[in-house]
């Protein structure tokens, strides 16, 4: 079971960028999916999460600018980032609570490899 993130890159302040992250492997069920980010020398922090039913949660710093969504049929979570600021510059990580066909009752946290987002003029 793995998570593969894509997207990211360099964008000017005020610009937009989209991230996606697809889960693959012997997945039985996916519960919460989300995005976290980490700046150099700082702890990883929550950006946004979304349940399988579509309930969302956002960090105060991104409310109104970022939108998280998911496609359950594709086991994919998305993050649309608008009105980006230099302080949004971080490595972004996707996360999912998943159970496998082998241990279908046990949910574990899985992390994708980070993708760099740089907001700079």
């Amino acid at each position: 079971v793995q998570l593969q993130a894509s997207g990211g890159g360099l964008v000017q302040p005020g610009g937009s960028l989209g991230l996606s992250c697809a889960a693959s492997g012997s997945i039985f069920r996916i519960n919460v999916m989300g995005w976290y980010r980490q700046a150099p020398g700082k702890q990883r922090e929550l950006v946004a999460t979304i349940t399988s039913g579509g309930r969302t949660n956002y960090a105060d710093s991104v409310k109104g600018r970022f939108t998280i969504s998911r496609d359950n049929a594709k086991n994919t979570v998305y993050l649309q980032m608008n009105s980006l600021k230099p302080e949004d510059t971080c490595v972004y990580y996707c996360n999912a609570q998943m159970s496998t066909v082998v241990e279908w009752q046990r949910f574990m946290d899985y992390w994708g490899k980070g993708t760099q987002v740089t907001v700079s003029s």
Side-chain angles (χ1 to χ4, degrees):
V1 175
Q2 63 178 359
L3 293 170
Q4 181 67 49
S6 61
L10 173 65
V11 64
Q12 292 186 341
S16 298
L17 208 57
L19 305 178
S20 64
C21 179
S24 63
S26 302
I27 301 166
F28 181 76
R29 183 168 293 169
I30 303 177
N31 189 8
V32 179
M33 303 185 82
W35 291 93
Y36 292 73
R37 65 187 184 184
Q38 187 169 20
K42 294 188 177 181
Q43 288 189 328
R44 190 172 297 186
E45 64 177 13
L46 169 78
V47 177
T49 60
I50 184 168
T51 67
S52 57
R55 188 170 70 248
T56 58
N57 179 53
Y58 294 92
D60 288 343
S61 59
V62 306
K63 281 181 181 176
R65 300 188 298 122
F66 291 11
T67 302
I68 189 171
S69 60
R70 67 190 276 177
D71 185 331
N72 290 329
K74 295 181 179 180
N75 292 334
T76 300
V77 62
Y78 306 94
L79 185 69
Q80 178 62 38
M81 303 180 290
N82 298 328
S83 301
L84 282 160
K85 305 175 181 179
E87 51 263 43
D88 294 318
T89 296
C90 285
V91 177
Y92 284 71
Y93 298 89
C94 61
N95 168 270
Q97 298 172 0
M98 299 189 285
S99 65
T100 68
V101 296
V102 176
E103 294 185 281
W104 59 276
Q105 290 181 308
R106 182 185 181 194
F107 283 87
M108 294 178 62
D109 267 332
Y110 292 85
W111 293 90
K113 291 183 180 180
T115 183
Q116 178 70 46
V117 171
T118 302
V119 184
S120 175
S121 55

